[in-house]
Amino acid sequence: MASVSDKQLHWEEQIADKRKRQQAAIPKDWLIPQVPEGQTSVIDVPRTCGLLTERELEITEVSNVNVLLQKLATAEWSAVEVTTAFSKRAIVAHQLVNCLTEIFIDKALERAAELDAYLKEHGKVTGPLHGLPISLKDQFKIKGLETTMGYAAWIGKYAEEDAVLVKLLLQAGAVLYVRTNVPQTLMWGETYNNVFGRTVNPYNRRLTAGGSSGGEGALIALRGSVLGVGSDIGGSIRIPAHFCGVYGFRPSSHRMPSYGVVNSLDGQESVATAFGPLSNSLSGVTTYMRSVLEQEPWRHCPDTIPKPWSQDDYQLKAHGGGQKLCFGIMWDEGTIKPHPPILRALETTKKALEAAGHSVIEWKSLRHSEYIAVTRSFWLADGSEDYNSCLTTGEPLIHSMDPNADPNVIPDFRVPRQPLSAYQVWQLNKERRELRKHMLDRWQATASLTGTGRPIDALICPPAPYAAVPHGQKKSSLYTLIWNAVDYPALIIPVTKVDPKIDVKPVRDSFWSTDDEVIHGMYNPEIYKDVPVGIQLVGPTLQEEVILGIGEVVDAALLSSGPD
């Protein structure tokens, strides 16, 4: 049997080889001069570094996915030049924030050339995503590639077939070119692992990009991708979207196909992982959802609900056609008061909607801690057996996202719990069912308050009590996790950026909880300066099209209200 030191050497050698192979996949003429370590914001570097041509900048600066698709369909822009442009910008982004894992640009360019040839020969596109480069979180298996998901033990494991979602994206005409970084175990709101290292926030590299889809959030913020796919079990799409200033959508957990995806806590279905898009525009989110659903993914994935795309729902036919909607607004969950920029984003959204003719009523969170507790109990039910099963080569389990943390110190929330029995898990399922009924009844009861004859059309709430925080400072995902507990679709919409002149730190004489005092103490407007701030838009289970349609209403109202 190998000694501990032999095992350690083995996993470290595996990582060194993996990083060497990753570096070799980067074209040498796409390398840029190293940005000074003291330069915190790198958001404009892809535009100013001189690597991308004017044409490539024009292509990658397009946020509206439908515009890109139209130009690809008419051959105004070829799939090869669009793929080249986003690939170059992705490589620049990676050099700035360390956001990529697998890089397979040669394969992507071959695919793009085939799509161009098809369009030229047949005079039509191969599908609704023809020629569009799409990035993927490092969970989606692609035949012939490794999917390490941040584990050293998974280096060298090559996929024998594509995940169902990958097959559907290729069938729709997409070009896949990179996969993006994740935290070890996925179960973190930041992004760091032993294999690929830490992904940082492009608006301030001293701050986190969020997690676990942090690589996607950072890449899209730098416009190295216009559309990517992540996963979300407690906020893993929404937190990076909020921290990085992009749109992110968590659908209901079985609306999108999951078969062939590697995952943490795989088999834990009580609070299941949802898979959804991140994009620089709401058009990207909607186009992705429609394109996948129109291919009837339930015919390929046994867990996917057979619910086709509903254009009537998207057009809000049962919601007054989108006129005079009524929103609920939750300012906080009662134990932690959000920082001033978060509250300002909520207030800005409320005023914009009211100016557009909609109404907004108060929503008070009730039993919030119970939703959080039951969800975390599901995650911990195995006593960490899932994590340990992935650490077979001596690689240590990461206990903190803080770069200065002592790796030998295990914080209380990472101490393994006693595994639960099947009976105990059944009791948790009953508790969650009662909590879901409680939420449903509360939602329906708002019909007596809205003035529309309907319950609230959607709920607006914080994505987190703060904008992007320094590395290792991300706390509980209490503002996102609750919607996983009840399986409600939730959309992140960027609203503003932190402005120290406006978002001054308030003086407080009392606090709602110990955590409230800690989070209040974290706030320094200068540290958060110019960091993005979003809001979260939530609706009932399986109402994805409705939330996307209402998202368009919110987006339009914010645009009409002018810069915040």
Side-chain angles (χ1 to χ4, degrees), residues 241 425 444 452 537 545 552:
V425 172
Q444 294 301 315
T452 64
L537 188 70
E545 294 92 332
E552 297 283 0

Side-chain angles (χ1 to χ4, degrees), residues 89-104:
R89 194 149 180 166
I91 294 301
V92 172
H94 179 62
Q95 294 172 73
L96 298 171
V97 297
N98 191 44
C99 53
L100 304 182
T101 57
E102 302 299 319
I103 300 167
F104 42 102

Side-chain angles (χ1 to χ4, degrees), residues 329-341:
I329 189 164
M330 184 180 90
W331 299 98
D332 57 70
E333 46 66 65
T335 67
I336 296 175
K337 187 172 184 177
H339 286 172

Side-chain angles (χ1 to χ4, degrees), residues 99 101 136-139 149-150 180-193 199 208-218 229-241 243 262-264 273-275 278 401 474 477 480:
C99 53
T101 57
L136 300 174
K137 187 177 183 177
D138 200 26
Q139 289 182 261
M149 207 180 77
T180 55
N181 204 21
V182 300
Q184 186 199 64
T185 76
L186 299 183
M187 306 299 288
W188 292 97
E190 303 188 34
T191 296
Y192 169 71
N193 62 71
T199 299
T208 180
S212 61
S213 306
E216 280 298 325
V229 189
S231 65
D232 191 313
I233 194 174
S236 291
I237 288 171
R238 290 162 289 159
I239 293 165
F243 283 2
V262 298
N263 205 0
S264 276
T273 300
F275 299 92
L278 299 91
M401 292 286 109
K474 170 70 176 63
S477 303
T480 51

Side-chain angles (χ1 to χ4, degrees), residues 473-488:
Q473 299 305 306
K474 170 70 176 63
K475 309 299 181 185
S476 173
S477 303
L478 73 172
Y479 281 101
T480 51
L481 195 152
I482 184 174
W483 309 119
N484 298 82
V486 294
D487 202 16
Y488 281 15

Side-chain angles (χ1 to χ4, degrees), residues 102-120:
E102 302 299 319
I103 300 167
F104 42 102
I105 293 166
D106 289 346
K107 183 177 179 179
L109 290 172
E110 289 177 12
R111 160 78 169 167
E114 292 170 359
L115 292 169
D116 285 336
Y118 183 94
L119 180 60
K120 183 176 181 180

Side-chain angles (χ1 to χ4, degrees), residues 9-19 21 152-153 155-156:
L9 183 64
H10 176 65
W11 72 264
E12 289 177 338
E13 286 181 338
Q14 287 276 74
I15 287 173
D17 177 70
K18 180 62 182 174
R19 290 186 178 185
R21 288 187 285 122
I155 295 172

Side-chain angles (χ1 to χ4, degrees), residues 540-560:
T541 306
L542 295 175
Q543 294 297 301
E544 283 73 30
E545 294 92 332
V546 172
I547 289 302
L548 293 176
I550 293 176
E552 297 283 0
V553 172
V554 175
D555 223 24
L558 288 167
L559 183 64
S560 296

